[in-house]
Amino acid sequence: MKNNDCVFCQIVKGLMPATKIYEDDDVLAFLDISQVTPGHALVIPKKHYDNFVSTPKDILSKVMSVTQRISQASLTMLGAKGINVLTNVNREAGQSVMHFHVHIIPRYISDRGFQITMLKNERLSELNLPVLASEIKKGL
Ligand code: AMP
Ligand code: ZN
């Protein structure tokens, strides 16, 4: 995808409005336009990388550092009782904007939101975990 077509690059360039929370030379954070819970925020590198996997480590570290600060502020200032920090990689995982971003989703008592256990699949309980682990380790 050309960066010109990227909605988050447009926000970085100031061509598209956003409710900004934080900005420095490398990182921008703003509220997600469709709030999963109050305070749902996105943290992005200003430079375009497609996703978490293709982002250089130094940039990733800056994005995660800002993610941590905003998460802390959400707990203290919004009264959130928990936070989900997540990033989707590729369309198969639900990525719809192909510019790396981390979701910060503050969680509140009884917000009836997502839990990772909802993804669990009884049919996968027979998987050979040592074989899966060894396949992953080969790629490290
Ligand atoms: P993902 O599905 O992980 O790619 O998340 C993309 C997120 O970007 C979604 O939660 C959208 O609501 C959000 N989004 C898309 N366009 C905008 C925009 N112009 N300003 C703020 N958030 C946006
Ligand atoms: Zn972009």
Side-chain angles (χ1 to χ4, degrees):
M1 173 201 274
K2 285 212 233 91
N3 295 5
N4 287 344
D5 303 331
C6 170
V7 63
F8 290 174
C9 283
Q10 303 265 311
I11 289 174
V12 169
K13 289 180 197 152
L15 300 174
M16 179 92 110
T19 310
K20 294 182 186 176
I21 299 170
Y22 175 90
E23 182 163 16
D24 64 28
D25 288 346
D26 304 299
V27 179
L28 179 66
F30 51 92
L31 292 181
D32 194 302
I33 202 163
S34 95
Q35 297 273 286
V36 167
T37 62
H40 177 191
L42 300 173
V43 187
I44 68 169
K46 285 189 167 174
K47 208 170 154 199
H48 183 101
Y49 299 101
D50 285 347
N51 59 45
F52 167 75
V53 171
S54 59
T55 300
K57 281 196 183 66
D58 57 330
I59 300 290
L60 192 59
S61 154
K62 289 174 178 173
V63 168
M64 292 317 290
S65 171
V66 172
T67 299
Q68 186 188 46
R69 284 180 66 191
I70 294 173
S71 298
Q72 288 163 344
S74 302
L75 289 170
T76 55
M77 303 309 290
L78 297 182
K81 300 296 177 211
I83 308 272
N84 291 113
V85 173
L86 69 91
T87 187
N88 298 322
V89 178
N90 292 342
R91 295 194 191 283
E92 290 75 3
Q95 187 179 2
S96 61
V97 177
M98 297 298 153
H99 180 133
F100 171 47
H101 53 281
V102 178
H103 292 260
I104 299 173
I105 304 174
R107 300 298 299 269
Y108 303 89
I109 292 169
S110 307
D111 64 18
R112 299 159 139 254
F114 162 87
Q115 291 188 0
I116 199 79
T117 48
M118 291 172 180
L119 289 177
K120 290 200 174 150
N121 183 338
E122 287 303 320
R123 285 174 302 150
L124 298 183
S125 61
E126 310 277 296
L127 285 175
N128 189 328
L129 299 191
V131 168
L132 285 170
S134 94
E135 287 306 308
I136 295 167
K137 284 196 277 187
K138 280 186 219 160
L140 296 179

